[in-house]
Amino acid sequence: VGVMLIVLDAEGRVQLVNRRGCEMLGLDEADIVGKDWFEHFLPERVRGEIREAFLQMLEDNVEPVEYMENVILTRDREERIVAWHNAILRDEAGKVNGVLSSGEDITENRRAEEALRDSRESLRLLLDSMAEAAYGVDAGGKCTFVNRAFLRVLGYADEREVLGRRIHALIHHSRQDGSPYPEDECGMHHAYLSNQAIHVSDEVFWRKDGVAIPVEYWANPIVNDGAVVGAIATFVDITERLRAEAQLALAAKVFEQSGEGILITDARRTIIMVNRAFSAITGYDEADVLGQSPRMLASGRHDAAFYRAM
C-alpha cells in the first residue's frame, strides 16, 4: 500500500527515498541513498535511454514528463513495472537541479492486461487474484464482468448488482464536483467506441453508498476477429497517493517559506538541501554547503541558534 517517493539530484543519484520505496526495492535506505539510480536500479537495456532523457531535461531546464512507465530492478534482480508521476526541483535561481518522483508498482496490472488478451478462459481466476480493481463492458457499455477488488473498492456485495448494467451510469456518472459527466466524454467510452487505449488519473468513481473516490484507471479495447467487442478497465483508489503528494507539497512550501534556517542531510549526514532562510541567517550560499557535513557550521560564520537540521 502507498507509493514510492524518491528524489534524484542533477547527476541522477538518489537523495531521498521513503519506506515504500525501500520495500519495493527490497533494500534498506542506506543501500539506496547516494546510489546512481540508473546504474543500480534500472535494467541495462533501458538505463542509457532513460539517463539521456533525464540529463537532457536538466540541460534544457524544462518540466519533466509528468507521467511515465518504466521497469526497475529489485534486490533480487526482479523486474517490476512502475508508473511514475514526476515533478521538478529548482534551485534559488530557478534552474532544475533534481526531480521528485512518486512511483506505483503496476506490475500485476500490466501482467493481467497481457494475460487477458492471451487467454479469456483464465479470466475469472486471474481477475480475482489481482490487487487492482477490474471490470469489463460490451460494445454497448454494459458490464460483462467485475473482480473481487472492484466489489470491495466500490462497496458492492455481489457481482449480480453490477453485471448487465450500464457501467458509466453506475460508477462514472458525475464529476468530482457533482456535475454530470456525459458518457460520450468518458475515456472508457472511447476505449470501445474508438478502439483507443486510455489512461486517466484525475477523475472519480462513485461507490454504491454515493461517495466519490479519486481513481487512476487504464482502459483498453477488447478486439475479436478485428472488431472491437468491448473494453476492460483496471483501476486503483489513489486517495492515499493524493494525500501523500499534498503533504509533500505542503512540506516543500513550508521548507522554502520558513523563517527558520533549515538544512536537510542524507543517510550519511551530508547536506543535500538548504532553504533561503538558512543562507540569510548563516551567510552560506547553497553552493557553499551542499555535499558538506553539518560540522562545517562550527566555523563561526553563522548563528547556530537559528538553524535546525532535518
Side-chain angles (χ1 to χ4, degrees):
V1 179
V3 296
M4 175 183 192
L5 296 175
I6 62 168
V7 172
L8 302 184
D9 66 15
E11 296 180 7
R13 291 188 301 265
V14 180
Q15 298 301 307
L16 293 173
V17 61
N18 68 347
R19 181 180 302 175
R20 177 56 178 153
C22 295
E23 292 172 353
M24 286 170 60
L25 292 169
L27 294 166
D28 294 331
E29 180 183 0
D31 296 320
I32 301 171
V33 173
K35 295 289 197 312
D36 184 305
W37 174 255
F38 309 101
E39 182 69 25
H40 290 273
F41 305 112
L42 297 185
E44 184 175 357
R45 69 178 186 277
V46 301
R47 68 176 63 134
E49 177 184 352
I50 297 176
R51 183 196 295 275
E52 182 178 350
F54 175 83
L55 294 176
Q56 188 65 50
M57 177 197 71
L58 297 183
E59 180 180 342
D60 294 342
N61 196 25
V62 297
E63 297 286 340
V65 177
E66 197 276 333
Y67 175 86
M68 62 183 296
E69 295 178 15
N70 60 39
V71 179
I72 65 171
L73 288 175
T74 69
R75 179 184 61 183
D76 299 326
R77 314 308 288 175
E78 178 188 5
E79 293 190 2
R80 304 294 294 181
I81 304 171
V82 178
W84 297 101
H85 292 266
N86 306 303
I88 60 170
L89 297 173
R90 296 181 183 273
D91 61 21
E92 293 183 351
K95 181 177 176 59
V96 177
N97 64 357
V99 172
L100 166 66
S101 297
S102 63
E104 186 166 10
D105 187 338
I106 60 168
T107 305
E108 302 309 320
N109 176 290
R110 289 293 174 262
R111 288 175 179 171
E113 291 177 354
E114 182 178 356
L116 286 174
R117 288 192 295 268
D118 296 339
S119 178
R120 293 294 298 273
E121 291 79 12
S122 61
L123 177 63
R124 175 55 55 194
L125 179 61
L126 177 63
L127 289 174
D128 284 342
S129 70
M130 289 171 54
E132 296 87 354
Y135 66 92
V137 297
D138 62 20
K142 293 182 178 180
C143 183
T144 56
F145 64 82
V146 297
N147 69 348
R148 290 176 186 169
F150 176 103
L151 300 176
R152 172 179 52 79
V153 172
L154 295 182
Y156 290 93
D158 192 287
E159 65 179 11
R160 287 173 293 185
E161 300 178 79
V162 182
L163 296 181
R165 299 182 63 178
R166 295 188 66 84
I167 201 70
H168 183 84
L170 190 66
I171 69 169
H172 210 188
H173 48 77
S174 303
R175 305 183 190 276
Q176 187 170 10
D177 62 4
S179 61
Y181 189 1
E183 185 171 5
D184 61 5
E185 298 178 12
C186 171
M188 185 66 173
H189 182 74
H190 287 286
Y192 60 81
L193 186 67
S194 305
N195 193 11
Q196 298 177 13
I198 302 295
H199 168 252
V200 178
S201 60
D202 59 354
E203 295 183 352
V204 298
F205 284 171
W206 294 83
R207 289 170 44 90
K208 181 182 178 181
D209 60 9
V211 174
I213 60 170
V215 296
E216 180 170 15
Y217 73 88
W218 297 261
N220 288 279
I222 298 173
V223 180
N224 185 27
D225 293 332
V228 178
V229 296
I232 178 174
T234 55
F235 65 91
V236 292
D237 180 346
I238 59 173
T239 302
E240 291 303 318
R241 179 207 296 170
L242 295 179
R243 183 176 293 118
E245 291 176 350
Q247 291 173 345
L248 193 64
L250 177 60
K253 183 177 181 180
V254 170
F255 176 82
E256 284 303 325
Q257 296 184 355
S258 174
E260 296 182 71
I262 303 174
L263 66 84
I264 298 177
T265 65
D266 62 19
R268 297 173 298 178
R269 299 294 294 170
T270 298
I271 298 173
I272 61 171
M273 198 175 298
V274 298
N275 68 348
R276 293 187 180 92
F278 174 94
S279 297
I281 293 169
T282 67
Y284 285 100
D285 292 331
E286 184 181 56
D288 295 331
V289 298
L290 294 186
Q292 304 296 321
S293 166
R295 288 193 296 272
M296 71 173 290
L297 297 174
S299 65
R301 191 184 163 193
H302 69 290
D303 185 344
F306 288 92
Y307 82 90
R308 58 188 174 91
M310 298 182 63

